[in-house]
């Protein structure tokens, strides 16, 4: 399993496809990152399972 993996999803504001670089050595992550397209802040939640599968959740900045 690679420690850094690229994952893609869609911005919850503008709907454009965005790519994130995920550190798979950290099993749970929460942070805010601006969309590459519309520059609005996205609440990012990442969970990495023991077998390396990445579960990515993107939401508006004020949503949990």
């Amino acid at each position: 399993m690679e420690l850094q993996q690229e994952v893609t999803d869609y911005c919850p504001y503008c709907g454009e496809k965005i790519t994130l670089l995920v550190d798979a050595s950290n099993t749970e992550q929460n942070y805010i990152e601006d969309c590459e397209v519309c520059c609005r802040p996205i609440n990012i939640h990442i969970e990495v399972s023991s077998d390396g599968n990445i579960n990515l959740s993107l939401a508006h900045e004020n949503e949990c």
Side-chain angles (χ1 to χ4, degrees):
M1 173 177 69
E2 292 183 40
L3 291 182
Q4 292 190 338
Q5 298 180 32
E6 282 189 358
V7 293
T8 57
D9 207 336
Y10 296 91
C11 173
Y13 295 102
C14 68
E16 290 293 323
K17 187 183 232 182
I18 58 172
T19 302
L20 301 168
L21 187 60
V22 173
D23 178 4
S25 67
N26 190 349
T27 58
E28 189 167 353
Q29 305 168 54
N30 287 301
Y31 61 96
I32 294 178
E33 186 172 315
D34 291 343
C35 173
E36 301 165 349
V37 179
C38 70
C39 299
R40 302 220 27 214
I42 303 169
N43 185 6
I44 300 170
H45 179 78
I46 299 168
E47 291 183 13
V48 181
S49 67
S50 59
D51 61 356
N53 288 329
I54 296 173
N55 182 19
L56 178 67
S57 174
L58 305 180
H60 290 197
E61 178 185 27
N62 297 325
E63 293 179 0
C64 293

